[in-house]
Amino acid sequence: MMRNYALTFLAVTARILVPLLLLVQLPLRGADPGSMGELATSVIPIGQTLGWVVNLVVVETTIRRRRRLPEARLAAGQ
């Protein structure tokens, strides 16, 4: 269920990542208003893919830590 939520949460993550990617590229390409539209359309698929990757990495890390936590508690208690 957590993985499903992570993939569904893509819309939120992509809306955060795409403007950040645009801001990172502004100093490199200049602030020409005409090129910003083209740049935005080329960055959207990258932001969506990165959104999936970031969300799944966070969820997988969380799941794996939860699985190790009971084992660590048992080892410490024995």
Side-chain angles (χ1 to χ4, degrees):
M1 192 65 187
M2 290 175 68
R3 290 180 189 101
N4 187 19
Y5 182 77
L7 294 177
T8 304
F9 203 67
L10 166 70
V12 175
T13 307
R15 287 190 179 133
I16 294 170
L17 288 176
V18 170
L20 289 176
L21 289 172
L22 287 172
L23 285 175
V24 167
Q25 290 189 7
L26 264 179
L28 301 175
R29 293 195 175 211
D32 182 27
S35 67
M36 286 303 293
E38 295 172 7
L39 182 61
T41 56
S42 67
V43 169
I44 289 173
I46 297 168
Q48 290 174 341
T49 304
L50 281 175
W52 275 6
V53 171
V54 167
N55 287 349
L56 286 175
V57 165
V58 169
V59 167
E60 285 299 321
T61 303
T62 305
I63 290 171
R64 289 172 192 250
R65 282 187 181 175
R66 284 187 180 180
R67 287 183 184 166
R68 277 191 257 143
L69 188 63
E71 294 172 2
R73 286 184 182 168
L74 285 175
Q78 290 179 349

